[in-house]
Amino acid sequence: MNKTTTTSPWIKIFQPSSHPKLRLFCFHSSASGASLFRLWGKHLPSNIEVCAIQLPGRETRIKETLITKWDDLLSSLTKDLQPFLTEYPFVFFGHSLGGLICFEVARKLRAKKLPTPKYMFISGRRAPHIPIDNQLHQASNQTLISTLREYGGTPEAVLENQDLMELFLPILRADFTLNEKYIYSLEAPFEFPIVAFRGINDTAVNLQQLSEWEKHTVGNFALHEFPGGHMFFLQQPETLIEAILKFM
């Protein structure tokens, strides 16, 4: 079988594996991109291939229009994923907004009777049936910058650079729009297991909101906390990766 190589703008494979036994699809958080997972392959066995999802309007897709509607996102992304889903087993990892996206992608795959992930790993995102009360997509620029500072992961020099913020804030606002305008619809829970993660000091999701992911699987459910805030794995991803590997 010839291994699929990607020309899709949606999928970035930083360290291709010639014969992967498993693909790890990683969905990034708001205002970030596929590069969030650029170095993950270095902490994984060579036969696990990291496929990082890249939303439009950032990094290699900076000239493309930002997406704020779920239908626009899911139809295009699912179409480009399809060639990758029948070759090797795969799992999903999504952080924050990425957790919600991979949940909806898995639902879309199931509806189309396509292969679904063996596991879904969700990080830093409340369960999808819990609405977001403190909406920020129409907040002032200053409020958005304060939120970024609270989440951690963005250097202070970047937060204080007006030119960079003029590029960065529309991406953040679009991603927050997608996250906050999401409307949950009731469907059957998944059969594959779900594992949820958070930083102990994460102000974006509390333990109760995270534990509610258990309602979305009839399989096993596990929950793990790590030291740190919302972007707890940014400096040392290997700690999180080790936890994921225990399930694979």
Side-chain angles (χ1 to χ4, degrees), residues 47-106:
N47 58 4
I48 296 180
E49 186 172 72
V50 177
C51 301
I53 304 304
Q54 183 84 290
L55 267 62
R58 71 210 70 213
E59 295 182 359
T60 54
R61 306 184 70 182
I62 190 71
K63 293 181 180 177
E64 296 181 49
T65 304
L66 290 157
I67 288 182
T68 56
K69 294 182 179 175
W70 280 94
D71 286 348
D72 296 341
L73 169 66
L74 292 172
S75 56
S76 184
L77 174 52
T78 306
K79 179 172 177 267
D80 277 28
L81 276 175
Q82 282 187 37
F84 291 83
L85 304 180
T86 53
E87 293 182 312
Y88 309 105
F90 63 94
V91 299
F92 281 174
F93 170 84
H95 181 65
S96 198
L97 170 63
L100 187 59
I101 293 173
C102 73
F103 170 77
E104 279 297 321
V105 168

Side-chain angles (χ1 to χ4, degrees), residues 88-247:
Y88 309 105
F90 63 94
V91 299
F92 281 174
F93 170 84
H95 181 65
S96 198
L97 170 63
L100 187 59
I101 293 173
C102 73
F103 170 77
E104 279 297 321
V105 168
R107 281 183 154 197
K108 192 95 168 170
L109 297 178
R110 181 175 65 178
K112 289 176 171 284
K113 296 185 166 49
L114 292 165
T116 52
K118 301 297 179 191
Y119 267 89
M120 189 159 69
F121 300 97
I122 302 291
S123 172
R125 210 304 175 168
R126 66 182 66 194
H129 60 277
I130 305 173
I132 296 173
D133 36 19
N134 181 28
Q135 301 215 347
L136 294 168
H137 66 275
Q138 292 180 317
S140 68
N141 286 351
Q142 208 51 52
T143 299
L144 291 181
I145 291 168
S146 297
T147 303
L148 281 175
R149 184 176 284 116
E150 191 175 295
Y151 284 176
T154 308
E156 191 61 31
V158 173
L159 294 173
E160 292 178 0
N161 186 309
Q162 190 173 343
D163 291 338
L164 285 176
M165 284 295 102
E166 282 179 11
L167 291 172
F168 194 66
L169 288 176
I171 301 170
L172 180 64
R173 207 177 282 282
D175 290 351
F176 275 8
T177 301
L178 198 61
N179 193 38
E180 294 168 359
K181 288 196 169 184
Y182 171 77
I183 298 171
Y184 173 74
S185 60
L186 186 64
E187 288 184 20
F190 293 118
E191 294 185 7
F192 53 75
I194 295 177
V195 182
F197 306 108
R198 76 182 278 268
I200 290 170
N201 300 319
D202 190 347
T203 56
V205 56
N206 63 41
L207 193 59
Q208 178 58 37
Q209 292 166 337
L210 193 73
S211 68
E212 289 283 306
W213 278 100
E214 186 170 11
K215 294 180 178 176
H216 296 280
T217 179
V218 295
N220 291 333
F221 175 77
L223 192 156
H224 295 271
E225 290 187 296
F226 296 87
H230 188 59
M231 301 300 292
F232 66 92
F233 62 89
L234 202 59
Q235 301 305 321
Q236 290 184 304
E238 56 270 29
T239 309
L240 172 59
I241 291 167
E242 282 171 17
I244 291 172
L245 280 172
K246 287 177 183 175
F247 294 93

Side-chain angles (χ1 to χ4, degrees), residues 37-53:
F37 308 106
R38 178 180 292 278
L39 301 178
W40 275 39
K42 293 185 175 182
H43 305 290
L44 287 162
S46 59
N47 58 4
I48 296 180
E49 186 172 72
V50 177
C51 301
I53 304 304

